[in-house]
Amino acid sequence: METFVQTLSAPTLLGIAAAAVAALLFLIMALRLHAFVALILVSLITAFATGLPTGEIVKVLTDGFGSTLGSVALLVGLGAMLGRLVETSGGAKVLADTLVTRFGEHRAPLALGVASLLFGFPIFFDAGLIVMLPVVFAVARRLNQPVLRFGLPAAGAFSVMHVFVPPHPGAVAAADLLKADMGTLIGVGLLVALPTWYLAAYLFGLWAGKRYPNPVPELLSGGAMIVEPPSNPPSAGTVIAMLLLPLILIFGNTGLNALATAGSIDAANPAVVLIRLFGNTPVALLISVLVAAVVLGARRGRDAVTIEKLLDSSLGPIASVVLITGAGGMFGAVLRASGIGNAVSGSLADLGVPVIAAAFLIAALLRIAQGSATVALLTAAGLIQPAVAAAGYAGTDVAAVVIAAAAGSVVVSHVNDSGFWLVGRLLNLDIPTTFKTWTVMETLIGVIGFAFAVLIFTVL
């Protein structure tokens, strides 16, 4: 693939991408073809249509599938195990009851959202969401209300923190490219993330919960209990500690990574390397599952056979989530390998619009075309880097430009984004409902976040 040169024009490539998306939706929604099969079929046809070398097509497909599975399978699998232990120990119900008692029924979505904002500061979107879902589901069951009323505020909280606030990797890398001060970017990112979450995720989530009354999925709980719940459920504090454990470990990794990028610490220091290893998301979740097996299993009087049965029962329901998400990553990889992203960025290199608007627009179009938010953000940052340097931006101005590019990179999450499939399947949403809820929320986050970035750029 290193020698492949795309000869098709940008309009032709964009037309192929649009036709691929339309074909995918037609196969899934009209012909009722399984999403996993449809994604593989459309990925294969798109690879042929865009002129990828025939001998390399299967490699592109499997590499895209495998790279997505490399993180998603471990994350969802271990997260489902942790969720199953929290659920069957009675811990999720105890924590749900505590939250409802402490904050009241009407404030439960707000409480879950605020907790997710705090948890979302140090850890990635998908890791935070999978850890928080057992509590979200338990609260929804406790109040007998639609899952989206609680799921969207929580998912939106992790999304805004992941997109706008360091030490998340996209914001850190874009800040490095545009020479933004990390402390200033954290401040500006929080100024944008918090009101954006309230408007785009919390208020929208409350409305979507009424508009789309989807029931609580049995995905993480595994359906009906395969063992009797223990007579000595853990306290709310114990459950919170179990949920905080992977977050603290992951924060050690992301925090040290940010410090290493800033040059504040030596990334090669053995202690730093070891802490970062334990804080790598799969390792952190593995440690958390092992600790939870003792604290929520063995100490509740369950033997090794019962605990093994509980962990095994958590994996069957998430197989579809993992495979479909991997196939979504495959589709995105084909679009990137075909040069669609390069075609878009090349045609947008000189827009003749203000830098902050160009940052948002370039990132948004790249996101829509090829699916990856990280690729969209970093490509947009690289393209506008000369203009930012020439303008002499500093302080809050350059931080606002980074936030604008980040806002563009999150809009219109759709079928070429593996996150679209992950969230939709975890919340047990059909394709139209995923578009009407998740896609709309992500677009609101991007547009509102951009508006706040422009306001900060203009006023501060």
Side-chain angles (χ1 to χ4, degrees), residues 4-6 8-10 13-14 335-349 366 369-370 375 379 383:
F4 172 65
V5 178
Q6 181 57 264
L8 298 177
S9 66
L13 287 172
L14 292 177
L335 295 179
R336 289 189 289 277
S338 68
I340 288 174
N342 293 334
V344 173
S345 61
S347 62
L348 295 176
L366 285 169
Q370 51 78 46
V375 170
T379 303
L383 286 173

Side-chain angles (χ1 to χ4, degrees), residues 27-311:
L27 290 172
I28 295 173
M29 297 169 62
L31 299 185
R32 309 299 298 176
L33 186 64
H34 193 280
F36 179 60
V37 177
L39 281 163
I40 297 174
L41 177 61
V42 172
S43 297
L44 180 62
I45 294 172
T46 302
F48 276 113
T50 55
L52 292 179
T54 304
E56 297 291 330
I57 286 177
V58 173
K59 186 176 187 303
V60 171
L61 297 180
T62 55
D63 284 353
F65 185 73
S67 63
T68 303
L69 283 188
S71 58
V72 170
L74 290 172
L75 173 69
V76 177
L78 291 169
M81 287 182 169
L82 181 59
R84 187 69 166 139
L85 289 169
V86 172
E87 175 85 14
T88 57
S89 70
K93 183 179 183 302
V94 168
L95 186 53
D97 291 342
T98 302
L99 285 172
V100 172
T101 301
R102 185 73 57 88
F103 296 98
E105 293 187 13
H106 296 298
R107 296 192 190 93
L110 181 64
L112 284 171
V114 172
S116 298
L117 286 170
L118 295 174
F119 288 171
F121 182 79
I123 70 169
F124 298 167
F125 165 80
D126 42 10
L129 181 61
I130 197 71
V131 170
M132 198 67 178
L133 275 183
V135 182
V136 170
F137 291 172
V139 172
R141 286 195 196 97
R142 164 74 168 74
L143 299 177
N144 194 27
Q145 293 184 9
V147 67
L148 290 177
R149 178 176 172 81
F150 308 95
L152 288 182
F158 287 113
S159 180
V160 297
M161 297 302 284
H162 187 93
V163 169
F164 295 127
V165 184
H168 295 293
V172 169
D176 184 58
L177 279 172
L178 298 179
K179 309 303 178 187
D181 176 74
M182 198 63 65
T184 303
L185 182 59
I186 290 174
V188 172
L190 288 172
L191 283 176
V192 171
L194 297 180
T196 298
W197 167 78
Y198 185 81
L199 296 171
Y202 174 65
L203 293 182
F204 175 72
L206 296 182
W207 175 85
K210 295 179 181 177
R211 182 68 178 81
Y212 307 103
N214 287 58
V216 181
E218 298 290 351
L219 189 66
L220 296 183
S221 68
M225 290 281 187
I226 62 172
V227 295
E228 288 295 321
S231 58
N232 57 338
S235 66
T238 299
V239 178
I240 291 172
M242 288 296 96
L243 297 180
L244 283 176
L245 176 59
L247 308 186
I248 293 170
L249 291 171
I250 293 168
F251 180 60
N253 179 23
T254 54
L256 289 176
N257 180 59
L259 291 174
T261 301
S264 302
I265 61 172
D266 179 13
N269 183 291
V272 172
V273 174
L274 184 61
I275 294 171
R276 291 197 61 194
L277 170 64
F278 289 148
N280 197 283
T281 302
V283 178
L285 284 172
L286 173 62
I287 293 171
S288 302
V289 169
L290 294 174
V291 173
V294 174
V295 175
L296 303 180
R299 289 191 178 178
R300 311 262 82 80
R302 286 174 171 167
D303 57 30
V305 173
T306 302
I307 295 173
E308 189 275 336
K309 186 186 298 184
L310 286 171
L311 296 179

